[in-house]
Amino acid sequence: GENVEQHPSTLSVQEGDSAVIKCTYSDSASNYFPWYKQELGKGPQLIIDIRSNVGEKKDQRIAVTLNKTAKHFSLHITETQPEDSAVYFCAASKTSGTYKYIFGTGTRLKVLA
Amino acid sequence: EADIYQTPRYLVIGTGKKITLECSQTMGHDKMYWYQQDPGMELHLIHYSYGVNSTEKGDLSSESTVSRIRTEHFPLTLESARPSHTSQYLCASSEQGHEKLFFGSGTQLSVL
């Protein structure tokens, strides 16, 4: 069936360093790839998304890259800060019909001060 | 800030009790979803609705049921709770034609 693999499951970085989280999807018809951040005690919140007609998108310290051929997409966080510590989920979806997401398994990011 | 609310925030109950987890949104979204999040963090879709009187089962089999009598309200019910139902339950909504999900803060359910 359709699935999204996400790596690593945990990631610790020093404050100021960069963090990279990678996802691989199986359904080649997927064309929408959001990233969600879940802080402790809260529901996930969308932080950035990318569509299949774009290779890269950036929003301040956060960027996402997409390689459709390889079916890979990645989240890049630069100049990490303690408030970036959270669980991050990638997802893949088809924007026709149901919009049902296939979520990755999550990455727990810890930024060490 | 998303206008989607879940109550209760925490619930501890005994086996065999009937419970209803509430979810309401004030954004007028047609689509609503229930996800179950296990301690390993994974999110599993258990129910969704595309509008009033529309409900569908998700990818993960669940003994819970849902109803959608009003656009803003999407409650989840367990007729007889068991310890295996212990989990975090997250409600979400999205606007028709848009992919962004808005999540509530979740209900942490513990069944003893």
Side-chain angles (χ1 to χ4, degrees), chain B:
Chain B
E1 193 74 22
D3 296 317
I4 180 164
Y5 307 100
Q6 290 186 244
T7 57
R9 185 72 183 87
Y10 301 94
L11 181 60
V12 181
I13 59 166
T15 297
K17 299 291 185 185
K18 177 181 179 178
I19 61 163
T20 297
L21 308 185
E22 301 288 349
C23 177
S24 294
Q25 49 95 7
T26 59
M27 297 173 283
H29 288 172
D30 287 321
K31 297 181 178 180
M32 296 190 74
Y33 312 82
W34 276 102
Y35 285 87
Q36 186 172 336
Q37 185 171 33
D38 59 28
M41 304 184 297
E42 283 193 62
L43 292 160
H44 302 284
L45 180 67
I46 53 174
H47 297 284
Y48 61 98
S49 167
Y50 288 152
V52 171
N53 295 325
S54 152
T55 61
E56 301 286 346
K57 289 194 177 294
D59 305 318
L60 180 68
S61 176
S62 174
E63 293 165 349
S64 58
T65 59
V66 293
S67 62
R68 190 86 184 276
I69 299 172
R70 303 197 316 265
T71 298
E72 62 271 22
H73 197 212
F74 192 40
L76 180 145
T77 299
L78 274 166
E79 290 293 332
S80 180
R82 295 205 299 269
S84 61
H85 296 139
T86 294
S87 190
Q88 163 98 309
Y89 292 84
L90 288 162
C91 180
S93 71
S94 66
E95 192 176 350
Q96 194 74 252
H98 292 81
E99 303 94 341
K100 179 179 176 180
L101 290 179
F102 293 85
F103 282 89
S105 294
T107 293
Q108 180 61 51
L109 173 65
S110 296
V111 184
L112 306 178

Side-chain angles (χ1 to χ4, degrees), chain A residues 4-5 19-25 31-35 47-59 61-78 90-92:
Chain A
V4 174
E5 292 185 5
V20 180
I21 302 170
K22 299 182 179 182
C23 288
T24 303
Y25 60 98
N31 58 2
Y32 175 67
F33 307 93
W35 286 88
I47 56 171
I48 196 167
D49 55 12
I50 192 168
R51 299 180 189 280
S52 58
N53 58 349
V54 175
E56 184 173 357
K57 183 176 178 181
K58 193 173 181 180
D59 183 3
R61 297 185 298 107
I62 294 172
V64 57
T65 58
L66 172 65
N67 181 332
K68 282 174 56 180
T69 304
K71 291 190 277 188
H72 288 167
F73 58 113
S74 300
L75 178 72
H76 304 254
I77 306 174
T78 58
C90 63

